[in-house]
Amino acid sequence: MRPAWRLATNSLWARRSRAGLLLAAVALSAALVTLIAAGMGTLNQSIALRLQATVGEAQIAVTPTGLGQTLDRGLLEQVRAFDFVTRANGALQTSVSMQATRPIYQPRADGSWSLKDEALRATVLVTGLEAEAKQYELLAGRKPTGANEIVLDALAAERLSWRWASEAEKKFGFGFSDTDTDALFSKAPKNDALAPSLDNEDAARAINDAQRVRVGDRLRVRRLLGSGPELLVVGLARQPPLGGRPQGYMTLEGAAALANQPGRLSQIDVVLPDEQDANAAAETIRASLGGVESGVLVKTTERVTSGLDRNLRSSQLGFALVSTLAFLSASFIIMTGLTTDVAQRQRELAVLRCVGASRPQLAQAQVFVGLLLGGLGAMIGVPLGIGVAWALISSFPDQTPSGLVIPWWGLTLSAGGAVLAGVLGAAWPAWIVSKTSPLEGLSVRARPARASRMALLTGFGLLGLAIQLSVVMLPESGTTVFWLYVFVGMPSLFIGYFLLGVAAVMLVTLVFSPLIGRVLALPSRMLPRQVRSTPYRHGFTAGALMTGLAIMVALWTEGGALMRDYLGKIQFPDAFVSSLFLTEDAQATLDAMDFVDRTCAITIEPIEVDAFGIRQLQQYRTSFIAFEPREFFDITQIEWVEGDRDRAIERLEAGGAVIVAREFQVAQGLGVGDTLSARKNERVFDFEIVGVVTSPGIELVSKFFNIGEEFNQQAMHAVFGSRDDLKNRLGSDQIHLIQIDLADDADDAEAVAIIRRELFDYGIMDAGSGRLIRDEILGFMRTWLLAITTVAVVAMVIASFGVANLIAAGIEVRRFEFGVLRALGAQRGLLARLVLGETLIIALAACTLGTAMGLQGVLAGQRLYQALFGIEYTIRPPIDAIAIGWGFVITLSLLAAGPSAWRLMQRQTRALLASKT
């Protein structure tokens, strides 16, 4: 064995407890990064499956130019005739109201339950597909082969159940389904054996809960003027991971018959060879089919997921930043631990130099220690992270249909990062060892820390903070700010605050050591003298401990600001009805209801503008929200930033005018009198801006009703225009939402239940309360903040091992000193209180650094949101969240130091004095 390896292994074996603490820190860091990587990999794959189930492998999509329109099926053969087309499949979508009749027990006045047939209803988005299409995953049954056969997804099957029907009137939920897929395969009650009445309420409710649609059941299609055909359920499909609407799948012929649109298609998906240029192929197809002038839109999909992949990169980058911070913390923890080890062993190393050990051998030994710790940490942490990820993902099978997916970069970052953290963390101690002479090593404990070096370190720390602020505040381009912050600003911010740890410890010692000394009954000069004797170890440990708190402070400050200043100011009308398309008859039915004061028809048409985002990562679309101006402003609460209501209504009714959200003004400086250019179906339209407002409510409602689409085409900002412009310029006359103003004394739950029942035959997708939508959005935001807080707490736990290592090392270094104090009459408790006092100094310094770093990070986030998305918010530090974070840091630090303090109390004076070398 090489001498350096022997020195390294002997060093770790002689200090097994401290080596274990360092190993645990590295292993937990590796586990955390593995968990993050597995979560991102699983999410990406699940989304990819959803997108593949929606549009397959197509590189080109041929669609009609307007919503609700269709294509002639003859175009499919024209597309297939191109020699560069591998495959072309047609699809037809239609919204269908369906019902299943089931025997349900109803309560009677005498307490018994009587059997009665009830209709279970749902509106399903049906997609007709050709036989070779692979756009959904079967859970049970088979694909449809006949015209009257259908496959339902899990959400549609859940909607066609008594449990949903009985609870929908109470909570009328939206969005993602909490469908229990196991219930879909439970045995159906034998209807012919059901008793006409029951006296047992539990038995009656159990039978009712089991009444749902299963494979082999038949559904009746509901039409406005009567019943439609009967459909046989031949299969159940997994709900798309990000889908928010009940869906069904039929043969192309069956969907055409159901929609009464024989020979028509909603879309043609074109698959090309890998070597074929999609843009050139799209141009050829476009020229052949006539393009927009013929009502045909030919566009490249980039395999659909490309736009999503760009969006996900920003999320992956965010997780990568968190992972980087975790490993930076681990690296600095290892560095402080190994530096402590070197300081403790200076006399030993000096003796080794005297008996012939070379400087390179001692330096190599320190690097080998880091390599061993990193390698063992990776071997433990990576499997641990995989196990935790598997347990979490297995708990949500419906949301993660891909199962556990661990990308190669995740394992590389986890294992390679752990080893690299160990090696880099040992580099500084190795350099110290290589530069130290035997005489310096024998006298190292007598040398005080140099004030000039601490001042230089503080200067470098402040320089890092200044660099971060300059790269965020100085550039004008949002994209430039983003990339500079990622590669320069974030590392500078972390390293700067880490280097400021020494100054922070000294400052906290100056301010708080008198108070801590009195509380812990310590001699006045004992605590500050102990901290000042090793300022670097204390300061660097505080720097590593700050990371988790900084993450928590930044996320809770920024998340709270977004909820308060953006989401919290959303004003929704009382209720909404949504559909792929609605008619004026549906609106008239609503107007006739006693509890409805007024309604307003709204169409949400996607358009494109070049005002937002990072084009390399994201492609944003804008919603053109068309409405009848007077009715709309009577119902919707709008805050006017520029312009006024009466003038805006006059210009909107005249045509060629729009009202824009404030984000346009913030991001591009657009205001009243300016011209906004928008693109639709390859045509450019110019609108005069007649008002700037803040009211993202309608836009968010449109997203909420189709959450899966939001991942594909993001509509970040709203443009408000008239329905006349929608018809005359954008070529659409559909109604997608009806905005409802309820009477003041109307009950929301009862009103929504009646609306659902009365408008069911019009093919509504859903109806609901605007207030509930906002509450659910805010609830999702809070849940996300809690999840990220968990990551921050884990980072604190990891850093606490560094605190434990520092305290243990400090006790080992000062065993003889503690023995002298004990021999002079110091009580055992005094030594333990001294250790806890040092821990409090470190924790308070970490709290100060973490809070400051988190708030400075929020400043960067504020600038990025403004530059990229036009969203402005004010920074109000959440005192309660910060206080909780401080509590975590202090508590974890004291818990980490507790075992070492306890062992110190148990040692005999003789044993402490015997440690003098």
Side-chain angles (χ1 to χ4, degrees), residues 490-532:
M490 174 66 77
S492 298
L493 179 69
F494 183 86
I495 295 174
Y497 274 102
F498 179 80
L499 296 178
L500 287 176
V502 177
V505 164
M506 300 304 291
L507 181 61
V508 169
T509 301
L510 178 65
V511 175
F512 291 101
S513 62
L515 176 61
I516 295 174
R518 285 196 298 269
V519 172
L520 297 179
L522 297 173
S524 59
R525 297 183 180 181
M526 177 177 285
L527 179 59
R529 186 178 66 247
Q530 294 293 338
V531 176
R532 289 168 184 162

Side-chain angles (χ1 to χ4, degrees), residues 464 467-468 470-471 482-493:
I467 292 174
Q468 189 264 358
S470 63
V471 301
F482 178 82
W483 291 115
L484 283 176
Y485 180 68
V486 168
F487 293 108
V488 179
M490 174 66 77
S492 298
L493 179 69

Side-chain angles (χ1 to χ4, degrees), residues 554-608:
L555 291 174
W556 277 93
T557 302
E558 192 170 84
L562 290 173
M563 287 193 293
R564 179 186 64 249
D565 295 338
Y566 188 64
L567 296 177
K569 291 184 177 179
I570 298 171
Q571 297 293 330
F572 290 108
D574 295 334
F576 288 94
V577 171
S578 76
S579 178
L580 288 179
F581 59 89
L582 289 168
T583 64
E584 294 182 356
D585 290 340
Q587 187 176 4
T589 301
L590 283 171
D591 288 329
M593 296 180 181
D594 295 337
F595 51 81
V596 174
D597 284 345
R598 64 177 70 86
T599 62
C600 176
I602 296 174
T603 302
I604 303 175
E605 189 79 2
I607 59 175
E608 295 183 3

Side-chain angles (χ1 to χ4, degrees), residues 65-148:
T65 56
L67 294 177
Q69 300 176 1
T70 57
L71 300 170
D72 190 297
R73 189 167 180 176
L75 294 178
L76 179 60
E77 297 305 321
Q78 294 184 42
V79 173
R80 287 173 173 169
F82 290 103
D83 55 6
F84 53 76
V85 172
T86 301
R87 186 172 66 254
N89 295 322
L92 177 64
Q93 284 191 332
T94 183
S95 181
V96 180
S97 298
M98 301 180 181
Q99 77 172 37
T101 303
R102 292 289 181 274
I104 301 296
Y105 282 102
Q106 302 284 356
R108 292 190 297 198
D110 61 359
S112 62
W113 294 70
S114 61
L115 199 63
K116 180 182 178 182
D117 285 344
E118 292 285 342
L120 308 177
R121 300 176 177 178
T123 301
V124 179
L125 180 62
V126 174
T127 303
L129 301 169
E130 296 183 283
E132 62 269 22
K134 299 178 181 179
Q135 294 189 328
Y136 54 89
E137 177 187 354
L138 280 172
L139 294 174
R142 59 174 175 83
K143 289 188 174 183
T145 55
N148 289 329

Side-chain angles (χ1 to χ4, degrees), residues 653-716:
E653 291 179 339
V658 293
I659 296 171
V660 301
R662 184 177 60 178
E663 289 77 14
F664 282 92
Q665 184 185 57
V666 174
Q668 295 294 320
L670 297 176
V672 172
D674 293 330
T675 299
L676 175 71
S677 295
R679 293 188 302 276
K680 176 65 179 177
N681 297 338
E682 303 176 5
R683 294 181 178 179
V684 178
F685 304 95
D686 292 331
F687 295 93
E688 178 190 353
I689 298 176
V690 296
V692 180
V693 300
T694 59
S695 180
I698 302 298
E699 177 197 352
L700 288 178
V701 169
S702 71
K703 296 181 186 181
F704 204 88
F705 280 119
N706 194 7
I707 294 176
E709 186 74 8
E710 164 66 7
F711 280 83
N712 215 5
Q713 295 179 350
Q714 298 187 30
M716 283 293 293

